[in-house]
Amino acid sequence: MNALAATNRNFRLASRLLGLDSKLEKSLLIPFREIKVECTIPKDDGTLVSYVGFRIQHDNARGPMKGGIRYHPEVDPDEVNALAQLMTWKTAVADIPYGGAKGGIGCSPRDLSKSELERLTRVFTQKIHDLIGIHTDVPAPDMGTNSQTMAWILDEYSKFHGHSPAVVTGKPIDLGGSLGREAATGRGVVYATEALLAEYGKSIEGLTFVIQGFGNVGSWAAKLIHERGGKVIAVSDITGAVKNPNGIDIPELLKHKEVTRSLKSFSGGDSMDPNELLVHECDVLVPCALGGVLNRENAADVKAKFIIEAANHPTDPEADEILSKKGIIILPDIYANAGGVTVSYFEWVQNIQGFMWDEEKVNKELKRYMTQAFHNIKNMCKTHNCNLRMGAFTLGVNRVARATLLRGWEA
């Protein structure tokens, strides 16, 4: 089942639990606006090349739309639609005043030079500058984009609208980016894990963790879990997988990865089959990489007691059922990885006020939001007698539905 079908299914189940009006339900699913633009740029050798860029703005009942821009060869409209919708529910679960959006350009960033990427980003911004904005739609980095991409968008947008640092988040610190943004998603994952474990009278210290994906999110989560006394016993990424039953020395692994750009031949552990990683014996499994990694093929063999969905949509609905039957507790992605968008919100707030926070305040506020959201989800679970995924979805959908009704959607 693809991401869009799964998200729609979760939305419909939540909508049934909440008893939403069928017309309202249909209206909430349809995106507010879909934008598709042609971006033609001269390559470094002088030849012209065209790319298709788009932005899906899903819902703005609770505030400006928010979501990443990805540069990727297979930017599939269906997937982007699902991710835009997911952002609507995610911002509502975190209780930040945004709606959802997502966008991208169908290109291979690895095959483009830096100056070609800059030209492409500027042309894309020229095409959509009147459809994004501080109080309309605030983009952020995603796959294949980074703080430099945001700097170019900011500069190009500002040519039309005057200096507007709040038009994008995930910016470089020197241009109004927030301290703590880099680590935010991984740190949020850890705060979410702490909130969940506290419900079961446990803490991170002394438990064993397996982490799939060692990019931004996975490496920060691993580092913070290690600092809190958790034993990270296996880690994998695209380059390979490493295990150590006594716990991997994460700072050493980070150094090794920085030097060799790979997890292979790390002296502090043994290499293992990356496919075995997800079914490795552990207390907590944290998928931080791709969607759909837990499916009906491997779900029955998962040995973890808790799964923290740091990636978007790592668990197939079929796997969901198998895992639930086994009594495995799944902390859903729309809550677990909301740390990134929460600190993006803090960045936007700081830019609008023209007053920047220190990192301690950013992390303290992030912890407050993540902890509060967890308790709100638990309350929805009690009200509707459902699992954490449905608790999160009913919480998010209910907030958006209430905002929509209060604004008078039928008028």
Side-chain angles (χ1 to χ4, degrees):
M1 188 181 283
N2 70 10
L4 184 60
T7 307
N8 285 352
R9 176 175 176 273
N10 287 328
F11 167 75
R12 292 222 155 82
L13 289 169
S15 150
R16 295 279 176 284
L17 281 173
L18 293 163
L20 292 191
D21 176 76
S22 62
K23 292 193 292 297
L24 176 62
E25 180 181 331
K26 193 169 177 218
S27 161
L28 287 175
L29 268 185
I30 299 168
F32 166 77
R33 183 195 276 143
E34 300 195 19
I35 303 154
K36 195 170 177 187
V37 293
E38 181 195 32
C39 302
T40 304
I41 59 159
K43 290 190 69 163
D44 292 342
D45 63 10
T47 57
L48 286 180
V49 57
S50 289
Y51 299 96
V52 177
F54 48 89
R55 183 84 175 154
I56 293 180
Q57 299 175 332
H58 177 255
D59 190 277
N60 60 1
R62 297 180 64 258
M65 293 163 289
K66 187 94 194 72
I69 288 181
R70 48 178 56 183
Y71 289 1
H72 192 269
E74 289 122 50
V75 171
D76 161 48
D78 254 12
E79 189 187 16
V80 174
N81 219 315
L83 293 169
Q85 192 198 130
L86 217 50
M87 285 303 294
T88 298
W89 316 134
K90 186 182 293 187
T91 50
V93 168
D95 204 16
I96 53 183
Y98 287 142
K102 204 77 170 186
I105 300 177
C107 68
S108 295
R110 254 169 281 179
D111 303 341
L112 295 170
S113 70
K114 191 171 177 184
S115 59
E116 286 167 342
L117 280 170
E118 176 172 356
R119 286 196 291 275
L120 181 56
T121 303
R122 289 182 184 278
V123 168
F124 183 50
T125 307
Q126 286 165 21
K127 300 267 174 153
I128 65 167
H129 77 88
D130 51 350
L131 298 167
I132 62 173
I134 298 168
H135 299 294
T136 314
D137 178 2
V138 181
D142 200 316
M143 279 162 58
T145 56
N146 55 26
S147 60
Q148 178 60 73
T149 320
M150 298 303 108
W152 292 327
I153 295 177
L154 164 63
D155 183 71
E156 199 59 36
Y157 181 87
S158 297
K159 291 176 184 175
F160 295 96
H161 302 273
H163 183 57
S164 317
V167 73
V168 286
T169 58
K171 297 181 295 294
I173 302 289
D174 296 332
L175 289 176
S178 176
L179 296 171
R181 176 68 189 84
E182 190 59 33
T185 310
R187 191 176 285 278
V189 165
V190 172
Y191 290 150
T193 306
E194 287 179 321
L196 175 66
L197 293 174
E199 277 288 306
Y200 294 85
K202 299 178 193 287
S203 70
I204 286 177
E205 193 177 348
L207 293 187
T208 55
F209 292 78
V210 166
I211 298 178
Q212 185 199 35
F214 206 62
N216 172 286
V217 182
S219 60
W220 274 105
K223 177 174 151 59
L224 295 165
I225 286 166
H226 183 78
E227 281 171 14
R228 284 164 170 72
K231 266 169 54 171
V232 181
I233 56 169
V235 171
S236 75
D237 71 358
I238 206 144
T239 63
V242 58
K243 66 176 174 184
N244 182 339
N246 303 316
I248 296 166
D249 183 340
I250 297 297
E252 282 305 312
L253 183 61
L254 284 162
K255 275 185 211 155
H256 174 80
K257 190 184 171 183
E258 203 163 307
V259 175
T260 65
R261 294 242 166 266
S262 159
L263 297 183
K264 279 202 180 79
S265 63
F266 173 61
S267 57
D270 307 315
S271 73
M272 66 184 288
D273 175 4
N275 298 319
E276 201 264 299
L277 185 103
L278 293 166
V279 298
H280 198 65
E281 189 86 44
C282 65
D283 296 315
V284 187
L285 173 64
V286 192
C288 304
L290 295 168
V293 293
L294 292 166
N295 47 47
R296 60 167 176 231
E297 270 74 60
N298 60 8
D301 302 324
V302 170
K303 298 175 191 69
K305 300 171 190 73
F306 300 93
I307 296 174
I308 313 290
E309 295 190 333
N312 277 321
H313 187 62
T315 315
D316 235 26
E318 290 165 324
D320 230 349
E321 276 178 39
I322 299 168
L323 295 165
S324 296
K325 283 203 181 85
K326 292 182 66 168
I328 298 172
I329 310 292
I330 303 176
L331 198 61
D333 52 359
I334 72 169
Y335 163 65
N337 64 31
V341 71
T342 303
V343 175
S344 271
Y345 163 59
F346 299 161
E347 180 178 334
W348 180 78
V349 166
Q350 292 168 79
N351 295 153
I352 288 173
Q353 292 187 335
F355 180 83
M356 304 309 282
W357 304 351
D358 61 26
E359 190 166 351
E360 195 185 341
K361 168 150 178 155
V362 172
N363 292 340
K364 188 176 138 221
E365 289 292 329
L366 174 60
K367 183 165 192 173
R368 191 169 69 84
Y369 269 81
M370 292 302 290
T371 309
Q372 184 58 52
F374 181 76
H375 294 302
N376 292 341
I377 291 169
K378 282 304 280 190
N379 287 336
M380 281 311 242
C381 293
K382 290 193 184 91
T383 306
H384 297 290
N385 188 22
C386 60
N387 64 15
L388 288 165
R389 189 182 310 283
M390 275 303 115
F393 262 89
T394 49
L395 176 65
V397 171
N398 192 39
R399 281 185 171 146
V400 178
R402 288 200 341 231
T404 305
L405 290 169
L406 284 166
R407 293 179 68 143
W409 71 289
E410 287 173 302

